[in-house]
């Protein structure tokens, strides 16, 4: 597992979500993200809608989701940007969470354009 398909950056809301989890849960989520970078497994990293994807972790009876999108602007480095997370008791994802991830994606790319 030395070959990675992408690297992962975390927006502030994603960092906050991870910091709110206990250490074992946080380690499990980060391990699954690390694993998803090297193997193609829909149980770990799955497309939800349009440009929005999710890192998936089931741990201790709960579903942990980190929403994300791809940034392929740099031809030498493929990056997945984690936007925010949530904990679910079921596998269903509220549409409002997907919309929030899309809003963060648009803001990310708009902010990048302004910096150029």
């Amino acid at each position: 597992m030395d070959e990675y398909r992408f690297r992962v950056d975390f927006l502030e809301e994603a960092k906050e979500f991870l910091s709110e989890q206990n250490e074992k849960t946080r380690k499990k989520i980060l391990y699954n993200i690390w694993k998803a970078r090297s193997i193609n497994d829909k149980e770990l990293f799955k497309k939800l809608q349009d440009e929005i994807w999710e890192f998936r972790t089931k741990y201790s009876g709960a579903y942990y989701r980190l929403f994300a999108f791809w940034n392929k602007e740099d031809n030498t480095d493929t990056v997945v940007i984690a936007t925010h997370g949530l904990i679910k008791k079921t596998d269903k994802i509220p549409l409002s969470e997907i919309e929030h991830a899309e809003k963060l994606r648009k803001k990310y790319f708009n902010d990048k354009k302004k910096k150029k």
Side-chain angles (χ1 to χ4, degrees), residues 47-109:
K47 184 173 186 174
L48 290 175
Q49 177 178 312
D50 300 324
E51 303 294 326
I52 304 303
W53 292 63
E54 68 175 344
F55 288 104
R56 304 162 51 98
T57 299
K58 185 175 180 189
Y59 184 68
S60 293
Y63 294 91
Y64 297 86
R65 300 292 189 252
L66 266 178
F67 298 91
F69 60 88
W70 292 85
N71 177 359
K72 298 180 183 180
E73 290 181 329
D74 183 349
N75 292 333
T76 60
D77 192 18
T78 301
V79 183
V80 171
I81 310 295
T83 61
H84 71 291
L86 84 134
I87 304 168
K88 297 286 298 162
K89 295 290 183 199
T90 68
D91 201 23
K92 286 195 112 176
I93 301 295
L95 183 59
S96 61
E97 296 297 336
I98 295 171
E99 290 169 347
H100 183 61
E102 180 60 30
K103 183 177 163 186
L104 291 171
R105 185 186 78 79
K106 287 178 180 173
K107 181 182 181 330
Y108 173 85
F109 285 113

